């Protein structure tokens, strides 16, 4: 096959489906991630699947296929091992005249094509399909829940034993049973392929419930028979390096696995409940794409302000919000922006969630008495330029971070407060001296995450008067009519109507007026009023703007931000 020399970006530019600015941003991300350029542009929402398919066909001469319009027979799942299909992003969808038709995100992977020919004994014809479509088809072909229930069915011959009386030796025997191993693996694999952030394994009186948290919402996924509770719980504990004999005290552990050619770190915790040990597994994608600042969801004015704060030579920038509001992602993105050869960047985190190139990352270790405060003191002896403290939890850490910012360091950290305006009163409540706060903190970013309407099944409708009032959209802003977006539900979003999340923000610059309020020990409403008076856009306003733009739905903004009627 003679490859054409045209580049994909050049073809898309010539077709007028991307701008040079879009292409430049995607190329920057590609230099960091080595992902396929077309996949990056799809992920960013710059192009549509049809645009990519036509461009690839023009570039490579390989036909494209629309997998969502096909229904692959289940027996095709037996042709190739699941691990092979996931690794090479190649899914068979048809066999005709001794030729296997395979959709691939990289149809020029000749070694994969040759391997498929050898494994199946069939000739292989490669078609192009976007990676997202291929993985969706793979998930349907190798459904995690189907595999889990098949494993449960295969355990029907296992003896039923009570968790209160079962011995450690019995547990060790049970967890080695192949069906139990397959069951636990299916639960974990299903969560990863379903883009879950957490897995909850919850013993109940009659069974064990498994739930996945996807885009911040918990969904019931399956029920495991009560008789398998000891084996399943113990299997997970052994994988996480825990003591299976200890069933009363909480334990923490971790599981490192590879799936879909990516490395994942599962942080595992146990808690004894009324009906047995509950397990939660937090899924961290160690090879996760590091976002650019413009991808987080800031409004243009907010983004410019954040860029100006990050460009300061010293001072402290705080990201605030509840657990799960995206603070760590914001801090990592800010770090990546100052990640230059002439900067010594050091972090202290609990835990290190993602590995960042050219950044020195350290981790809290309570067993070794390495707290945020102690780790931060050690960092200050390492000649840092930029410091990130995962979270300020106490006065000692706050004092050290403040002094670091005052002595010529740029410090990033997070704090648990509801909004940007509550940050200063929180630091004062911790006991940090007002003049130190006023002199060190240069900016505060308040944030939440809202779900994004699925692009594949997105529809628009004219907004009703009640919703407009709830969102506080003024008559002037409404014009003649306002349209909102919703997802109707499809295979891509698992019928949820949403896929992925974006941030809604408020960015408070610490001006002279804010500093005076700190010195006077004022309350959060007074800080908010002053900041708004100086141009701060509130999170509610940011959320409403995303509703008007069709990024998210009004119901989602009302759920997350609880916007009050005006």
């Amino acid at each position: 096959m003679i490859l054409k020399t045209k580049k994909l970006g050049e073809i898309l530019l010539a077709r007028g489906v991307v701008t040079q600015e879009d292409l430049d941003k995607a190329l920057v991300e590609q230099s960091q991630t080595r992902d396929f350029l077309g996949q990056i542009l799809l992920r960013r929402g710059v192009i549509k699947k049809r645009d990519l398919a036509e461009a690839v066909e023009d570039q490579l001469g390989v036909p494209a296929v629309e997998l969502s319009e096909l229904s692959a027979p289940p027996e095709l799942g037996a042709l190739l091992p699941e691990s092979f299909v996931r690794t090479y992003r190649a899914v068979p969808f048809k066999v005709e005249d001794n030729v296997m038709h395979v959709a691939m995100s990289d149809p020029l992977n000749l070694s994969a094509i040759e391997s498929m020919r050898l494994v199946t004994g069939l000739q292989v014809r490669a078609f192009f399909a976007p990676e997202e479509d291929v993985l969706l088809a793979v998930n349907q072909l190798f459904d995690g829940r189907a595999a889990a229930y098949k494993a449960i069915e295969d355990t029907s011959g296992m003896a039923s034993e009570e968790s209160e009386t079962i011995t450690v030796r019995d547990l060790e025997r049970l967890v080695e049973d192949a069906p139990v191993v397959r069951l636990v693996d299916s639960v974990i694999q299903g969560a990863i392929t379903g883009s879950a952030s957490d897995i909850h394994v919850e013993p109940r009186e009659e069974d064990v419930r498994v739930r996945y948290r996807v885009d911040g919402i918990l969904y019931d996924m399956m029920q495991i028979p009560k008789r398998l509770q000891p084996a399943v719980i113990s299997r997970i504990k052994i994988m996480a390096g825990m003591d299976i004999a200890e069933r009363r005290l909480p334990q923490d552990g971790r599981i490192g696995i590879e799936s879909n050619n990516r490395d994942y770190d599962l942080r595992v915790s146990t808690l004894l409940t009324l009906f047995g040990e509950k397990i939660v597994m937090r899924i961290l994608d160690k090879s996760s794409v590091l976002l650019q600042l413009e991808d987080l969801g800031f409004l243009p004015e907010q983004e410019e302000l954040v860029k100006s704060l990050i460009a300061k030579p010293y001072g402290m920038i705080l990201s605030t919000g509840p657990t799960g509001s995206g603070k760590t992602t914001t801090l990592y993105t800010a770090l990546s922006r100052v990640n230059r050869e002439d900067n010594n960047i050091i972090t202290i985190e609990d835990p290190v969630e993602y590995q960042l190139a050219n950044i020195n990352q350290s981790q809290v270790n309570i067993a070794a008495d390495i707290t945020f405060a102690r780790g931060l003191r050690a960092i200050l002896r390492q000649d840092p330029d930029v410091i990130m403290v995962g979270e300020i939890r106490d006065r000692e850490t706050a004092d050290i971070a403040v002094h670091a910012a005052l002595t010529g360091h740029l410090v990033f950290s997070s704090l648990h407060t509801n909004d940007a305006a509550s940050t200063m009163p929180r630091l004062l409540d911790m006991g940090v001296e007002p003049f130190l706060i006023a002199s060190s903190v240069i900016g505060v970013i308040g944030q939440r995450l809202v779900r994004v309407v699925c692009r594949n099944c997105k529809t628009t409708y004219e907004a009703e008067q009640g919703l407009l009032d709830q969102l506080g959209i003024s008559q002037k802003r409404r014009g003649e009519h306002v349209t909102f977006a919703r997802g109707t539900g499809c295979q891509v979003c698992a019928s949820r109507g949403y896929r992925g999340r974006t941030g809604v923000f408020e960015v408070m610059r610490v001006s002279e007026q804010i500093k005076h309020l700190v010195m006077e020990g004022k309350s959060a409403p007074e800080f908010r009023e002053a900041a708004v008076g100086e141009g701060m856009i509130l999170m509610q306003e940011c959320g409403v703007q995303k509703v008007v733009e069709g990024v998210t739905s009004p119901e989602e903004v009302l759920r997350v931000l609880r916007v009050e009627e005006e």
Side-chain angles (χ1 to χ4, degrees), residues 257-316:
I257 63 172
E258 183 180 334
S259 176
N260 293 338
N261 213 27
R262 299 171 82 99
D263 291 322
Y264 293 87
D265 198 15
L266 275 60
R267 303 300 168 99
V268 187
S269 71
T270 68
L271 176 70
L272 182 63
T273 67
L274 186 61
F275 299 112
E277 288 178 283
K278 170 181 165 64
I279 288 184
V280 173
M281 291 176 271
R282 165 63 58 89
I283 303 171
L284 302 174
D285 182 354
K286 293 166 68 175
S287 54
S288 180
V289 174
L290 191 61
L291 297 174
Q292 303 296 314
L293 200 61
E294 54 267 28
D295 298 326
L296 295 183
F298 289 106
L299 299 181
E301 310 95 299
Q302 295 174 324
E303 184 182 322
E304 290 306 311
L305 179 52
V306 172
K307 286 179 179 177
S308 70
L309 292 173
I310 293 173
K312 300 286 186 185
Y314 59 86
M316 183 155 65

Side-chain angles (χ1 to χ4, degrees), residues 3-8 10-12 14-15 51-64 128:
L3 301 184
K4 299 180 180 180
T5 57
K6 287 186 289 186
K7 293 182 178 179
L8 183 65
E10 294 172 353
I11 294 172
L12 292 169
R15 288 171 175 261
D51 298 328
L52 179 58
E54 291 174 353
V56 169
E57 193 163 350
D58 186 4
Q59 181 194 30
L60 306 178
V62 176
F128 169 75

Side-chain angles (χ1 to χ4, degrees), residues 39 161 295 333 391 413 476 519-520:
Q39 187 61 35
E161 303 183 60
D295 298 326
T333 304
E391 184 184 340
S413 191
K476 181 180 179 181
M519 297 301 295
E520 295 169 5

Side-chain angles (χ1 to χ4, degrees), residues 5 28-29 35 53 85 160 201 209 226 289 329 430 485 507 537:
T5 57
V28 169
E29 182 174 329
D35 285 351
V85 169
S160 177
V201 182
R209 175 172 65 170
K226 191 71 174 177
V289 174
T329 298
M430 282 184 171
V507 185
I537 299 170

Side-chain angles (χ1 to χ4, degrees), residues 395 399 402-403 427-428 430-440 518-519:
R395 177 178 177 175
D399 277 336
V402 162
H403 281 96
L427 291 173
L428 290 169
M430 282 184 171
V432 183
E433 293 292 341
F435 75 92
L436 293 177
I437 298 172
S439 303
S440 61
V518 172
M519 297 301 295

Side-chain angles (χ1 to χ4, degrees), residues 391-425:
E391 184 184 340
I392 293 178
R393 297 174 179 170
D394 51 50
R395 177 178 177 175
E396 185 181 13
T397 307
D399 277 336
I400 301 169
V402 162
H403 281 96
L406 289 173
T407 52
H409 304 92
L410 185 60
V411 179
F412 296 97
S413 191
S414 71
L415 198 64
H416 281 277
T417 62
N418 285 330
D419 54 20
S422 303
T423 302
M424 301 307 191

Side-chain angles (χ1 to χ4, degrees), residues 138-167:
V138 172
N139 293 343
Q140 291 169 347
L141 202 57
F142 301 97
D143 182 72
R145 278 182 289 186
Y149 284 124
K150 177 64 170 66
I152 291 171
E153 187 180 312
D154 292 344
T155 65
S156 57
M158 289 175 58
S160 177
E161 303 183 60
E162 295 296 324
S163 59
E164 288 82 3
T165 59
I166 193 169
T167 66

